[in-house]
Amino acid sequence: MRGTTRGSPPRVSLSEMLWSWVGAFLGIGALVWVNQRFFVGTDLTLVIGSLGASAVLTYGAPRSPLAQPRNLVGGHLVSAVVGVAVWTLFQNDTWLAAALAVATAIALMHATKTLHPPGGATALIAIIGSQQIHDLGFLYCLVPATLGPIILLVVALLVNNIPESRRYPENWI
């Protein structure tokens, strides 16, 4: 329980902090702008908390295997499908549905090579989300769980390749 390393994680450069900030600002800004432009007044929403965590990985750790396009988009999609399916079957037992959704999403993300930690939150949101989220049913898998990560990905492809010190993606498959 004491860990195996000493000290804190290494500090990143000011340039790395700046590009992470720019990416997150533009990525989340684009996501919310699209939501306000196209989804306000509808039953759809494009903004869920797990996409904020995806922004941390995609812009703050773009070389991480967990931040790559397959993981970013696939992890959210797999997890959303699991979350909605589990909610459909076990909505009367929220504690069981929540545990099953997150655990199953992790297992399926491993199996499909799409492990993306925010995906666990996407599965959980399908269970504990508002009635508006529940009313979406499997549409939740497309909006927000696929369209949202795609918007973040497009911004990441642009921003993460501007400075010579960054490269994104590391791989597509």
Side-chain angles (χ1 to χ4, degrees):
M1 293 175 76
R2 283 187 254 151
T4 59
T5 58
R6 298 218 182 264
S8 61
R11 183 176 301 277
V12 299
S13 69
L14 187 57
S15 173
E16 187 69 16
M17 286 184 222
L18 176 66
W19 284 109
S20 296
W21 186 92
V22 168
F25 179 85
L26 294 174
I28 296 298
L31 193 69
V32 175
W33 181 85
V34 170
N35 186 71
Q36 290 178 333
R37 180 87 167 112
F38 298 102
F39 297 119
V40 168
T42 73
D43 290 336
L44 298 172
T45 183
L46 191 55
V47 182
I48 54 174
S50 55
L51 295 175
S54 290
V56 172
L57 281 170
T58 307
Y59 308 115
R63 290 193 163 177
S64 167
L66 304 175
Q68 300 310 302
R70 175 187 179 109
N71 301 72
L72 171 64
V73 178
H76 281 288
L77 177 58
V78 165
S79 298
V81 169
V82 168
V84 174
V86 168
W87 175 254
T88 301
L89 297 171
F90 298 100
Q91 61 188 279
N92 293 325
D93 290 308
T94 304
W95 76 269
L96 178 61
L100 275 173
V102 174
T104 304
I106 291 169
L108 288 178
M109 284 189 287
H110 273 305
T112 58
K113 299 181 192 177
T114 59
L115 188 65
H116 185 66
T122 296
L124 187 59
I125 291 166
I127 306 301
I128 65 166
S130 67
Q131 190 61 47
Q132 180 184 4
I133 293 291
H134 294 148
D135 289 345
L136 291 175
F138 282 99
L139 186 56
Y140 173 78
C141 302
L142 297 177
V143 178
T146 299
L147 181 57
I150 287 172
I151 290 170
L152 295 179
L153 174 61
V154 169
V155 173
L157 291 170
L158 298 171
V159 172
N160 285 340
N161 289 298
I162 292 172
E164 289 184 24
S165 61
R166 291 169 76 109
R167 179 181 69 228
Y168 185 82
E170 291 290 311
N171 59 62
W172 283 95
I173 54 172

